[in-house]
């Protein structure tokens, strides 16, 4: 190294070496030993032939290098980003004198110091500084200093400074952009004047987002990406529907007039179809570029409720499903080029909604990555009425993205050509690095949060500026006039023609029946439960295959001994526990050609160390997934541990299930109550998406549930919340007690995906996972189907003597069935309600009718009275028996928390509930067990 000379360092390398040299001069110990050895015999030599005299001042070169670095890193703080003209904050390091150097001294330094494309087109460092300031402090701010990977930083700097994505449009290209902006602006003005006072959540102030989306979709089309999945809130949605997805104007006008089949209303009270407001609706359609009607890219704009950012993980799941092929054994085959995601955010919601960070965290995880999402913040510089200073603790609305190493470009929405350049850069970055990219589109909101709102009440100064501020269409038209592309009258003529065309369309369709976005009400009657048994011979064959290991694979010895003990000896007379039944169900489905995706918190192993779907080699750390190596499989199997996140992962799997309707998609919570954090996804998508948008999801939720004295937070999966959401067969809710029931229910859910997909919410066991009472004989898997209600097998020969029928669901059955009181209570029968919804009316009626001398029906549960299934079951049971039998309750009193913190108190109370179920048969009084000594 000591043989090197200063001539061999140039550009940014020279600046960097000189900075280190200055540190060495101040303190030799500040650099490592190798550099100290080098600097001891080195002095800055003559520069290469660049017109600068020998004996360059090292301190000035170092100062210049620091100055250039600060322009690149902090130039965005001085960029003119606000269309309303506020002064940028700037940064003191953008002044050369901050670094101890003047403009005159810069003029005497070589152009090579900053390096990069700029150095090749200027003659000295002063010109380089001016050029860098022009680029980094214009109407675009480049925010990349948080990017760690050198190859990405180099690519981004080269892309910015070469200006290869920037284009000053001329001729027909400029006119095309003007027409697009005019169409966007005129559409909003037409809606505002024609449907005065109606909400539409106008895009005015960030109009250019529509041409940006056109640019991105066109790039996808040219790259032969077949599907673009989009997510956005309501701001600008109608304009995007009209001018990106080509939803006909007459359809949109009809929705404002509520004519034809208005998708926002349900005419039949109580029916399953309720629809949604027009600015929440989604659409699937082909993008048609003007003059390019053969375009084939499908755009899937997901519907979204007013939980603004909650659509983000849904669209990522939709994209992931579109990227994967699932028709062969092994893991799915994925391609980033099969689909891509564009998400539009709000400037208040992006930093404010926690689901944003959750979803960004998924972006590079193996089970969730989609190869790069392009994000655009539609930045109004204002929330509903809340100022940025009250809405976020960061400088920019986009700063959250920095934590995930996402490049950020801030751009002034009044500079359309700069905005399109940002879009082209985002596309190229995604194609190159397969990572997310963020565009912070800084504009304003011409009206209030909605068009009936008066924003001047809270932002009078801002809205005084906005009232006097021309729309971007006019600004760009003036720019084209200055270039000599159009004259003053032509821009107004274009706007007038668009307006007249819209008026003609609305008036022409005034007498038409515009139809509906939904052809028929998406309601399907209660499905018949199919036969789901698998022959014993096939189950044994699958079991043997699951226990085969690759040659040379070394599983953990203790685990492998347990698996061989519990599963290796399975024969025609064997029994299977819960996890074993699940493995056989999955294997049989894969053999049937049904793809499976299983994700969740610690799902590969299972929270309770029950599943072990992934085996780990103790010597190499390698992985073996038996269900991916299954020789009988005809479809893919994917299993992934999720991050410790609920809302985003639930939304992701919901989206995945929509775009992979043939696959059994399952999400598992570590404990059932962890799903609480994803309640908005459950409420707004899983339970109601079918009724609002016609979306049919077959997503299965596995929620560990059961009272074992583990305290308030690890006992209840909040069964009552799901039952409260049930109506019109919108989903299925079950609480099984045996391995065979679980086996059949999984296969039933897969079978119903074809004709009657619905979400399945399944309370799964904890202590029952290995309980002998919940295991099943292998013949129970080979025969029959899932049973919504299981009658008491111990009461078959004494039906005439039964006076009390105990109904229950889940683990409490095992507690009662194994109780010492069970054999003594000859007049009590216990029936299990395994399917709580759809309510199994016929099956329950048959069980009740089979006991001719009943005096009462009692519902027993381990959850508090105000939780669990009691409030759901009581009115249905009363209606079922028509007042002929009393319906009473045995269980805990109502409580604000699901369970006690004391395991000892829990055991006493649970024992009291079980005892009460068999006591006092002649009394129909409800019994709440408060304390048992």
């Amino acid at each position: 190294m000591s043989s090197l000379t200063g001539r061999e360092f140039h550009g940014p390398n020279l600046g960097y070496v000189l900075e280190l040299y200055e540190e060495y001069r101040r303190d030799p110990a500040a650099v490592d030993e190798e550099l100290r050895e080098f600097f001891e015999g080195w002095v800055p030599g003559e520069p290469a032939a660049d017109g600068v005299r020998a004996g360059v001042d090292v301190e000035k070169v170092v100062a210049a290098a620091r100055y250039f670095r600060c322009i690149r890193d902090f130039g965005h703080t001085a960029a003119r980003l606000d269309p309303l003209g506020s002064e940028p904050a700037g940064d003191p390091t953008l002044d050369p004198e901050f670094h101890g150097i003047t403009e005159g001294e810069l003029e005497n330094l070589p152009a090579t110091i900053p390096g990069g494309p700029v150095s090749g087109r200027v003659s000295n460092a002063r010109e380089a500084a001016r050029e860098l300031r022009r680029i980094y402090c214009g109407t675009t701010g480049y925010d990349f200093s948080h990017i760690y990977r050198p190859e990405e930083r180099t690519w981004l700097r080269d892309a910015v400074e070469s200006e290869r994505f920037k284009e000053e449009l001329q001729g027909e290209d400029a006119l095309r952009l003007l027409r697009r902006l005019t169409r966007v602006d005129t559409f909003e003005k037409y809606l505002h004047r024609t449907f005065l006072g109606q909400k539409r959540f106008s895009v005015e102030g960030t109009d250019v987002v529509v041409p940006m989306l056109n640019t991105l979709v066109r790039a996808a089309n040219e790259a032969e990406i077949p599907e673009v999945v989009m997510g956005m809130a309501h701001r600008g949605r109608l304009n995007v529907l009209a001018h990106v997805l080509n939803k006909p104007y007459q359809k949109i006008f009809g929705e404002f007039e509520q004519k034809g089949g208005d998708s926002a209303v349900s005419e039949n009270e109580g029916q399953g179809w309720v629809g949604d407001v027009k600015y929440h609706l989604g659409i699937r359609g082909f993008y048609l570029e003007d003059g390019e009607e053969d375009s084939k890219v499908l755009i899937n704009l997901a519907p979204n409720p007013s939980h603004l950012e909650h659509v983000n993980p849904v669209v990522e799941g939709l994209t992931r499903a579109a990227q994967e092929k699932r028709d062969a054994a092994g893991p799915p085959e994925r391609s980033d080029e099969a689909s891509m995601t564009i998400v539009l955010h709000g400037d208040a919601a992006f930093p404010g909604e926690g689901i944003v960070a959750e979803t960004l965290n998924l972006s590079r995880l193996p089970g969730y990555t989609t190869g790069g999402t392009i994000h655009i913040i539609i930045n109004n510089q204002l929330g509903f009425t809340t100022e940025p200073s009250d809405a976020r603790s960061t400088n920019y609305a986009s700063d959250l993205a920095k934590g995930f190493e996402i490049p950020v470009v801030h751009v002034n929405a009044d500079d359309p050509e700069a905005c399109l350049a940002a879009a082209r850069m985002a596309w190229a970055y995604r194609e190159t690095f397969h990572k997310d990219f963020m565009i912070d589109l800084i504009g304003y909101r011409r009206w209030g949060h909605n068009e009936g709102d008066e924003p001047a009440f809270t932002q009078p100064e801002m809205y005084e500026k906005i009232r006097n501020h021309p729309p971007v269409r006019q600004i760009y038209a003036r720019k084209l006039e200055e270039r000599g592309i159009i004259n003053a009258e032509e821009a107004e003529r274009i706007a007038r023609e668009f307006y007249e065309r819209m008026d003609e369309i609305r008036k022409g369709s005034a007498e038409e029946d515009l139809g509906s976005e939904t052809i028929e009400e998406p309601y399907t009657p209660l499905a018949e439960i199919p036969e789901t048994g698998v022959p014993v011979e096939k189950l044994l064959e699958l079991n043997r295959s699951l226990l085969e290991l690759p040659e040379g694979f070394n599983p953990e010895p203790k685990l492998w001994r347990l698996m061989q003990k519990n599963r290796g000896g399975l024969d025609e007379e064997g029994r299977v526990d819960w996890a074993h039944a699940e493995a056989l169900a999955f294997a049989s489905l894969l053999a049937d050609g049904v793809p499976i995706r299983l994700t969740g918190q610690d799902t590969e192993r299972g929270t309770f160390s029950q599943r072990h779907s992934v085996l780990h080699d103790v010597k190499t750390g390698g992985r073996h997934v038996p269900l991916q190596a299954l020789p009988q499989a005809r479809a893919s199997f994917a299993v992934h541990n999720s991050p410790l996140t609920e809302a985003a992962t639930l939304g992701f799997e919901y989206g995945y299930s929509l775009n992979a309707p043939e696959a059994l998609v399952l999400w598992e919570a570590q404990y059932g109550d962890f799903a609480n954090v994803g309640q908005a996804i459950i409420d707004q998508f899983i339970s109601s998406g079918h009724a609002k948008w016609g979306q049919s999801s077959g997503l299965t939720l596995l929620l560990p549930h059961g009272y074992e004295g583990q305290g308030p937070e690890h006992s209840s999966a909040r069964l009552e919340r799901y039952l409260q959401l049930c109506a019109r067969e919108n989903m299925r809710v079950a609480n099984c007690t045996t391995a065979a029931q679980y086996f059949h229910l999984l296969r039933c859910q897969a079978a119903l995906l074809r004709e009657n997909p619905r979400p399945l919410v399944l309370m799964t066991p904890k202590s029952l996972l290995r309980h002998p009472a919940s295991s099943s004989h292998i013949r129970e898997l080979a025969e029959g189907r899932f049973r919504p209600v299981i009658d008491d097998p111990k009461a078959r020969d004494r039906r005439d003597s039964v006076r009390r029928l105990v109904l229950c669901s889940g683990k409490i059955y095992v507690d009662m069935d194994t109780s010492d009181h069970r054999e003594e209570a000859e007049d009590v029968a216990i029936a299990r309600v395994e399917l709580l919804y759809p309510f199994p009316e016929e099956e329950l009626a048959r069980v009740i009718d089979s006991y001719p001398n009943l005096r009462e029906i009692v519902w027993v549960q381990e959850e508090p009275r105000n939780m669990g299934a009691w409030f759901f079951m009581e009115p249905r049971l009363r209606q079922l028996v028509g007042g002929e039998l009393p319906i009473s309750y045995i269980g805990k009193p109502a409580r604000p928390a699901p369970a006690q913190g004391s395991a000892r108190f829990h055991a006493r109370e649970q024992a009291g509930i079980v005892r009460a179920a068999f006591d006092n048969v002649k009394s129909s009084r409800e019994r709440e067990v408060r304390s048992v000594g």
Side-chain angles (χ1 to χ4, degrees), residues 334-375:
R334 192 179 72 85
S335 169
D336 289 343
E337 306 309 311
S339 183
M340 68 162 291
T341 312
I342 303 171
V343 182
L344 275 58
H345 307 275
D347 57 307
F350 186 81
E353 295 282 349
I355 198 168
V356 175
E358 290 187 22
T359 306
L360 293 178
N361 187 49
L362 301 179
S363 64
R364 285 186 279 165
L365 302 182
Y368 301 90
T369 182
T370 56
T373 294
I374 295 177
H375 304 267

Side-chain angles (χ1 to χ4, degrees), residues 508-572:
S509 62
E511 303 303 322
E512 295 180 20
D513 182 356
L514 299 178
S516 172
E517 292 297 326
T518 302
I519 297 173
E520 60 184 16
E521 182 185 339
Y523 164 65
T524 306
L526 179 60
E528 182 177 347
I529 297 173
E531 292 280 346
T532 48
V534 177
V536 169
E537 298 76 14
K538 185 174 182 179
L539 291 172
L540 296 176
E541 176 191 335
L542 291 170
N543 190 63
R544 287 191 293 270
S545 296
L546 290 173
L547 293 171
E548 292 176 0
L549 294 175
E551 186 176 353
F553 188 86
N554 304 285
E556 201 282 324
K558 181 180 178 181
L559 171 61
W560 190 242
R561 285 195 301 271
L562 286 172
M563 294 188 74
Q564 288 291 335
K565 176 183 176 182
N566 296 334
R567 303 184 185 185
L570 184 66
D571 57 22
E572 292 86 348

Side-chain angles (χ1 to χ4, degrees), residues 220-237:
N221 185 46
E222 291 171 352
E224 298 183 346
I225 290 180
E227 180 175 356
V228 173
V229 182
M230 286 179 54
M232 65 182 298
H234 40 272
R235 176 76 52 211
R237 194 178 192 93

Side-chain angles (χ1 to χ4, degrees), residues 100-122:
I101 192 168
T102 66
E103 294 281 349
E105 289 167 331
L106 284 169
E107 194 167 5
N108 292 322
L109 293 177
T112 55
I113 293 176
V118 167
S119 291
R121 58 180 188 254
V122 296

